[in-house]
Amino acid sequence: MVVRVSRLSNGLRVVTDAMDTVETVSIGIWVDVGTRHEPAEINGVAHMLEHMAFKGTERRSALAIAREIEAVGGHLNAYTSREQTAYYAKVLAGDQQLALDILADILQRSVFDPVELERERQVILQEIGQAEDTPDDIVFDYFQECAYPDQAMGRPVLGRTEIIRRLDRDTVAGYLRRNYGAAGMVLVAAGKVEHEAVVAFAEGAFGGLPRKGEARTEAPRYRGGDLRKPRDLEQVHVVLGFPGLPYGHPDYYALQLLSSALGGGMSSRLFQEIREKRGLVYSIYSFVHAYSDAGLFGIYAGTGESEVTELVPVLCEEMRRLPQGFDAEEIQRARSQLKSGLLMSLESTSARAEQHAHYMLVHGRPFDPQEIVRKIDAVDAAAIARAARSVGAGALTLTALGPIGRLEEYGRVAERLAA
């Protein structure tokens, strides 16, 4: 793993991770702008921009973009999150300049053709509809909204239907122009790659990017609360959540380890107690959602309409047990899961590129797996106990979707957790 970093004249950071055992390159641009940087009245514009970037430039039509990358057996993709937007490709090593040229083209010369915009608007509305039809997915949007109500961090990444219907070309193009600045972007290439060649090509290809963007965001204010949506479904989808920890917190890896031991696999407490012993669920797990300045911790469960009556008290009991800690075997098993998941991901050029990009945007340095392994190994029982107390100190966020008539009232659930 040979990682090098350079900075172009306009502030764009370039990271390469040379892997001499592969014949491919994963290469992309990550931008430190996402849903939390949107004004409320244009919620969803970051995601719409991500879609429109592939719909034609001054040099290429949407079809030409698709044909050029697929003619060399590569593929392009993108995603929007609450804090970042990514545009990336995977190609054979000899085609990396083509991938870079297309990425540079879509980020600097997209035309946002009105006909294409109307067509893509319908695609996004279909995507929103698909999410609404996927209850174990959309319940997390409701959970985010309930944890961070009336603020950017709580708004859906896909946007709201009524807003998407009225976003126009100037709004989308203006969002890119104002917020995509080179100093807040990172170009990462992982695989069979030469650092100097990438830097030299990028210096010319991305020279049109402005140095700084204008993106601003408000500090998230966790509030918690109760959000229930009755729906005619076979299952009740329940999320119990609490404030978590941001990426840079000293106990971030302790919380990750706690989550893994609690609900990270088939041997975890939640899986064994609630699925294997009681048969109350098909799917159950705990999770950590971290951000640059905030975080969430929670438990998801999908259960039957009648089983939810028994499920919630058991979940509360498991949460009350957290401050008592875990035994040595549980901790070691969770530690091994975290480390193996990390190290196995290093076999993927795409995962390595994404890890480097994330670390550069959040921490200002490339990803070092051995540093993370050391931090995971350094987590002790005291750190896990601190993480458990930090989670337990926050207000409950309870979100449910489905036939919720037998789900206990919010106040009663909160009382169970405090008992």
Side-chain angles (χ1 to χ4, degrees), residues 198-212:
V198 174
V199 171
F201 190 85
E203 187 69 69
F206 293 92
L209 290 171
R211 184 171 184 84
K212 291 185 178 180

Side-chain angles (χ1 to χ4, degrees), residues 69-351:
I69 198 71
E70 292 181 1
V72 299
H75 63 261
L76 284 166
N77 213 332
Y79 67 82
T80 305
S81 69
R82 287 189 162 80
E83 295 194 300
Q84 299 172 8
T85 308
Y87 306 84
Y88 56 93
K90 186 166 185 175
V91 293
L92 295 175
D95 299 312
Q96 58 190 277
Q97 286 195 357
L98 171 64
L100 277 171
D101 186 66
I102 292 175
L103 291 170
D105 199 21
I106 66 176
L107 290 174
Q108 296 170 102
R109 289 177 288 274
S110 284
V111 295
F112 302 104
D113 178 74
V115 175
E116 290 284 358
L117 179 62
E118 289 307 313
R119 194 156 33 227
E120 205 60 26
R121 188 193 313 279
Q122 298 308 311
V123 171
I124 294 170
L125 291 173
Q126 291 289 335
E127 186 177 2
I128 293 172
Q130 184 179 47
E132 290 285 348
D133 286 345
T134 312
D136 56 345
D137 182 6
I138 199 65
V139 71
F140 284 94
D141 271 3
Y142 301 150
F143 170 70
Q144 193 83 16
E145 178 185 356
C146 190
Y148 298 109
D150 303 316
Q151 51 191 296
M153 189 64 93
R155 296 181 197 126
V157 171
L158 300 183
R160 303 188 189 281
T161 297
E162 64 273 15
I163 296 176
I164 297 302
R165 291 189 187 281
R166 65 172 183 261
L167 287 177
D168 59 23
R169 179 195 180 280
D170 290 344
T171 300
V172 179
Y175 191 81
L176 182 149
R177 186 175 60 253
R178 290 190 303 275
N179 296 309
Y180 278 36
M185 302 166 72
V186 59
L187 187 161
V188 184
K192 191 172 184 179
V193 62
E194 293 183 1
H195 184 77
E196 291 83 1
V198 174
V199 171
F201 190 85
E203 187 69 69
F206 293 92
L209 290 171
R211 184 171 184 84
K212 291 185 178 180
E214 303 173 6
R216 298 289 185 273
T217 188
E218 59 185 343
R221 305 176 306 281
Y222 177 90
R223 284 174 50 188
D226 188 33
L227 180 59
R228 303 169 185 227
K229 290 188 177 284
R231 190 183 292 184
D232 184 15
L233 299 171
E234 292 297 320
Q235 281 198 310
V236 185
H237 299 267
V238 180
V239 181
L240 269 69
F242 310 86
L245 300 173
Y247 283 118
H249 194 281
D251 288 330
Y252 168 72
Y253 288 102
L255 185 59
Q256 288 278 12
L257 203 150
L258 179 154
S259 180
S260 183
L262 177 66
M266 293 173 64
S267 63
S268 68
R269 284 186 179 181
L270 291 178
F271 194 95
Q272 285 297 310
E273 180 65 30
I274 295 175
R275 173 169 160 157
E276 297 296 278
K277 292 182 182 179
R278 299 173 184 258
L280 294 175
V281 301
Y282 172 72
S283 177
I284 187 165
Y285 56 86
S286 57
F287 61 88
V288 173
H289 290 171
Y291 307 105
S292 59
D293 55 355
L296 293 169
F297 170 79
I299 298 169
Y300 163 83
T303 191
E305 182 178 4
S306 58
E307 287 83 357
V308 74
T309 305
E310 183 181 351
L311 170 68
V312 171
V314 179
L315 288 179
C316 292
E317 176 60 29
E318 291 300 329
M319 285 300 301
R320 287 201 305 271
R321 289 180 59 198
L322 284 184
Q324 300 171 22
F326 297 86
D327 62 38
E329 183 181 349
E330 288 178 297
I331 292 174
Q332 185 53 45
R333 190 163 53 239
R335 198 189 311 276
S336 296
Q337 286 179 329
L338 289 181
K339 291 194 296 184
S340 65
L342 167 70
L343 297 175
M344 287 178 185
S345 73
L346 298 182
E347 299 175 3
S348 163
T349 59
S350 299

